[in-house]
Amino acid sequence: MKILLATSEATPFCKTGGLADVCGSLPREVAALGHEVAVILPAFRQALECGEPIDHAGVEFEVPIGKKVVHGELLRSRFPGTNVPVYLVKNDEYFGREGLYDVGGEAYSDNCERFVFFSRCVFDAAEALGFRPDVLHCHDWCTGLIPAYARTVFSDRAWFRETGLVYTIHNLAYQGNFWHWDMALTGLDWKYFNWKELEFHGHLSFKKSGIVFADTVTTVSPTYAREIMRPPLGCGMEGVLQYRSEDVFGILNGADYSAWDPASDEHLGGRNYDISNWRAGKAECKRALQAELGLPEDASAPLLATVGRLADQKGFDLIARVMQQWAPRHNAQWVVLGTGDPKYHQLLERLARELHTKVAVRLEFSNPLAHRIEAGADMFLMPSQYEPCGLNQLYSLKYGTVPVVRNTGGLADTVTQVDAENLEKGTATGFLFDDYTSQALSGSIEHACQAFSEPATWDRIVEAGMRQDWSWGRSAPLYGDLYEMTLSRMRRGVLP
């Protein structure tokens, strides 16, 4: 099959979150299965400065946007170490900016126009390149109009008439909802601005467009696919998702073990380890991490870590309350790496000053430090309000760092509760809790710390996690099957 993947992010070209990790890994893995894959994304400034070789593709665009015509051009690159092409849509007025979608937390006022332009260029680029896709796989809100264009404006082009449309929801909370008059920018007939198709509470919705017009819809974990069928995680779109329920599938994201493997991780300073020598390896990594962050080198103190966006959605309101209660009274150490809500910056900075022997905080994003934290920590906290898939718990399992997570989304699909039965079976890999309360999180941490104090039990939990395979080699074939199923159903007239 020929597969064209449209996204706004893909590592190593540009990234703000997990979307980039997925779209940087999935195309390579699908290509390794024997399919012909290409990726197209905007030529953001970040992408042009990523350090990868980028050339002109010899393709230019003249795209109608409302009452004007906008010029663009196509650039070409490849994923490092592969033959998988990456095409970048260049227009410096739209994409040559500091941020991908916002600056200083304020979304760009012309985001609708920017991604209308990108969406329309996808079709012109495919035709100009002679890349006739069997499947067009679109990712999250920025590409949500592409399925609508395929079935309306571009439906008269034989080039796309038999192309299967797959749309992946990475996070339903980010919807791409815009002023209804922005509909005029799209070139779509106003008849599609109705409650069944593009209209969402009076706004034009890119996310709803993708859900409605795609042939099949995927989410990034089976549990999240079920959760979004009802409030609150349906984010107001549970009705349209229920209508499409027979076409919605959950496929877990994979972990890129070429980058996240303690046996080969270049960020560990030579302190590499695997399941055969993890006790010594993690002990060295823990001592090094404690020294790097200014914490006492205490092997007996459980080291609890979290890395990511400091936001309520990630459970930082729970973490903040538990840290304030635990840190003064327990022999445990806490490490936090990330940026986000200023209220958490202030709180964490205060805790780090007042409890500097127990709390280390780095208000930044550092990929090398994130790797060293995964290797040096004993436990990893992810008490998310919701988590479509999550990647850090997958990295943690590989690094022998036991996850303490809320029982939601991809966390529920990838972490197996530590209890007597699962310990006996050798399947227990972490600690889950249900209620979104600081008491529930605290209880799971207490349970984890008790297990940590029992070396034989802890060894079984760690090794069960390290034996797990959550690689893309496990997930990519499921996408291959989904592409085949989408085409088969479309050709049989099963899809709407």
Side-chain angles (χ1 to χ4, degrees), residues 260 265-268 289 292 337 364-375:
W260 291 92
D265 193 329
E266 63 183 16
H267 301 297
L268 304 189
L289 181 64
E292 179 178 357
L337 171 65
E364 59 179 304
F365 180 75
S366 166
N367 184 56
L369 180 54
H371 283 249
R372 292 193 290 275
I373 288 173
E374 285 286 8

Side-chain angles (χ1 to χ4, degrees), residues 168-241:
T168 295
I169 299 168
H170 291 260
N171 189 332
L172 193 58
Y174 298 98
Q175 299 180 341
N177 297 331
F178 300 100
W179 190 39
H180 68 283
W181 287 114
D182 280 339
M183 185 72 179
L185 299 173
T186 68
L188 294 164
D189 195 304
W190 274 95
K191 70 181 182 181
Y192 298 112
F193 190 78
N194 64 75
W195 67 273
K196 289 184 177 181
E197 293 172 312
L198 299 183
E199 185 269 339
F200 183 65
H201 296 288
H203 293 85
L204 165 65
S205 177
F206 280 42
K207 181 67 63 78
K208 185 175 179 180
S209 169
I211 295 169
V212 169
F213 284 95
D215 297 320
T216 54
V217 178
T218 76
T219 69
V220 290
S221 72
T223 294
Y224 190 59
R226 294 190 296 271
E227 290 174 336
I228 61 176
M229 293 292 171
R230 60 187 184 275
L233 297 189
C235 301
M237 293 194 177
E238 54 272 6
V240 67
L241 285 162

Side-chain angles (χ1 to χ4, degrees), residues 154-175:
F154 297 101
S155 63
D156 60 342
R157 299 192 190 185
W159 196 261
F160 303 105
R161 196 170 295 142
E162 296 182 0
T163 297
L165 303 173
V166 176
Y167 181 66
T168 295
I169 299 168
H170 291 260
N171 189 332
L172 193 58
Y174 298 98
Q175 299 180 341

Side-chain angles (χ1 to χ4, degrees), residues 31 37 61 81-82 92 112 160 197 270-271 279 294 310 321 333 349 353 378 384 400 437-438 479:
V37 185
F61 308 110
T82 77
D92 289 339
C112 180
F160 303 105
E197 293 172 312
R271 303 176 187 87
R279 296 171 191 82
L310 310 185
R321 286 197 289 272
Q333 297 176 343
E349 286 177 325
R353 286 194 307 270
D378 298 301
S384 306
T437 65
S438 57
Y479 275 103

Side-chain angles (χ1 to χ4, degrees), residues 322 326 404 431 433 437-449:
V322 172
W326 267 69
V404 179
F431 299 84
F433 64 96
T437 65
S438 57
Q439 292 84 358
L441 172 59
S442 182
S444 278
I445 293 173
E446 286 181 14
H447 191 189
C449 288

